[in-house]
Amino acid sequence: MQFRSQAVAKPYFIAALALFTGQILFGLIMGLQYVVGDFLFPLIPFNVARMVHTNLLIVWLLFGFMGASYYLVPEEAETELWSPKLAIVTFWVFLAAGALTVLGYLLVPYAALAKLTGNDLLNTMGREFLEQPLPTKVGIVIVALAFLFNIGMTLLKGRKTAISLVLVLGLLGLAVLFLFSFYNPANVVKDKFYWWWVVHLWVEGVWELILGAILAFVLIKVTGVDREVIEKWLYVIITLTLITGILGTGHHYYWIGTPEYWLWIGSVFSALEPIPFFAMTVFAFNMVNRRRREHPNKAATLWALGTGVLSFLGAGLWGFMHTLSPVNYYTHGTQITAAHGHLSFYGAYVAVVLTMISYAMPVMRGRQANSNTAQVVEIWSFWLMSVSMFLMVLFLTGAGILQVWLQRVSETPLSFMGVQDQISLFYWMREGAGLVFLVGLIAYLSSFFIKGETRAA
Amino acid sequence: MSTSFTASMARNIFYGGSVFCVLLFLALTFDTTRTLPGRDNSANLTPAVVRGKHLWEVNNCIGCHTLLGEGAYFAPELGNVYLRRGPEFIKIWMKAQPTGSPGRRQMPQFNLSDDELNDMVEFFKYVSEIDTNNWPPNIEG
Ligand code: HEM
Ligand code: HEM
Ligand SMILES: [Fe+2]
């Protein structure tokens, strides 16, 4: 590690992995509720498990992004972090806010939680992914501000590289767009319209800048390829991202009451959104092929390549599959959507955070790379998680195709619940794949505890 | 990539292209806002509908159901439930939950008053009258 203050990233990564584990456990609960409908009812109704699952996902990815930034920015700026103390304080604030929110979901009926936390002052709750009570949302904003301030001050006093500028631009966009979560008009069409400014413009906009910057950083480290080359790629990728992704928001404006021209704008621009993901894959392989050194951390290199391939599959291919409006007319809000949501989040954002952790954790623990045995276990866990996730997504895609056919295309459409009974076999297989994912996750976590011979960093 | 194409050229294209797309998106947002009243049924946005939307939110209905195709995929689409089932069925249904039938997906009891049930139904009626470009494909949602 080049700067002592980079070590504040460590608690962020540890918290991220703990919450990731919680996320998966609640995923498995829901997966079972899909086929054994009364499992854990009324103790944990499905909607509660779902909030916990998706909110833990978002929060742990944010922990991952923050940890990655605290590690990356000092090294790029060639200076110590402006205030490691502030970084530790915001860590505890964010963790406490996250834990209290999840406990609130689990222990208090949602309507009572809304009343208790001042939702009547400003209605913001009860919308997908934005279920957090008002104090939590305000807490997220405060933590984000303190974080951005800390990172910004570090950048100001040090070297300003393209990688850290792109990263900060992405983080700034993340924080600014989150402010739309406070806007909840009574008009449900407008509510939905601006809801996507958080959700879509995050994952298909500013988060891709963060993704690109982290990936570029790790690739420079493990391949030793010239910075100039890598930064050029980075700019090309994020240009493609924003040119396609901003107007691509239109693929959510087909059926919610917005004007018809979005059918065209959304289809055309979002159909181009796979291009930046494809470029990311080519980028990762190209850089690794042109490497100028053999970095001993093979696992981190694998995760970096995996991010390229899996994000292209999940976001690019599975996104393209249902993004043209004539197709989306039939697939909108089905298991096809769930399949895409899983592979894209895993392939892009889970994978990139794990790439960074894989590269940075060994360094923070005083070695260039983990021992051979530890790396073998980590590589196994990469394959277990990635293959089981891919299978989960194939099963959900199968379920989705049948759902569309039986419920929406057929001359004699079945009811929603009737269809769900017909396709339960696919849900059982999804749960099986989910269990393998859990095994992979356990293998991943255990790789941190495996000792063996290592070289000092 | 060739060496005559430098990182700083790439950066300028990035800023120019992004700002252009943001402006275009804002212009379209402006136009959408202007034309929405003809499609979004806002003429019928009564206080009962507003209360109904609030109930929809504070009970986290979106955690199991979709509304105009957005939400969770565990339980039926409700954007057109008013047309599929009608007002009386919806109220009786809400009061009868959970069914408790073994192995079946369960919906919680939200203990809504009669007034609140009426507001809920008004909200569903309102949503069912939004111009959605003919989505969903059929009444099953
Ligand atoms: C890493 C990037 C991406 C992530 C994390 C992501 C994630 C998601 C998620 C979670 C949803 C469901 C939202 C909801 O609950 O309503 C969704 C919907 C959707 N995504 Fe993506 N996505 C990504 C990229 C893309 C791309 C590149 C495309 C197009 C090529 C795309 C096309 C769509 C479409 C059309 C929907 C709407 C599905 C529906 O109508 O039900 N996504 N995405
Ligand atoms: C054991 C593994 C997992 C299982 C069994 C599982 C199961 C589920 C289930 C049942 C849902 C709700 C679908 C519905 O609304 O009806 C869901 C939603 C979701 N899960 Fe998972 N999950 C797992 C792992 C993951 C992972 C690793 C990620 C992130 C990469 C993830 C991200 C999401 C997202 C983004 C949604 C919302 C999807 C949408 O709105 O379209 N899940 N999950
Ligand atoms: Fe999108």
Side-chain angles (χ1 to χ4, degrees), chain A residues 91-141:
Chain A
F91 168 78
W92 287 109
V93 172
F94 198 44
L95 191 63
L100 283 175
T101 305
V102 169
L103 284 178
Y105 290 161
L106 288 171
L107 300 178
V108 187
Y110 193 72
L113 185 66
K115 195 151 257 132
L116 216 70
T117 55
N119 192 56
D120 290 329
L121 292 175
L122 182 66
N123 294 315
T124 66
M125 293 172 70
R127 295 173 303 150
E128 194 193 0
F129 303 128
L130 305 181
E131 296 94 348
Q132 309 82 25
L134 189 59
T136 309
K137 287 201 180 85
V138 172
I140 293 176
V141 171

Side-chain angles (χ1 to χ4, degrees), chain A residues 53-95:
Chain A
H53 181 66
T54 55
N55 291 16
L56 281 177
L57 168 66
I58 295 167
V59 169
W60 86 257
L61 290 177
L62 293 180
F63 267 115
F65 291 165
M66 289 195 271
S69 311
Y70 285 131
Y71 186 89
L72 183 158
V73 171
E75 189 155 325
E76 286 285 298
E78 298 182 328
T79 171
E80 293 285 354
L81 186 65
W82 183 72
S83 168
K85 230 184 234 137
L86 181 61
I88 295 296
V89 172
T90 52
F91 168 78
W92 287 109
V93 172
F94 198 44
L95 191 63

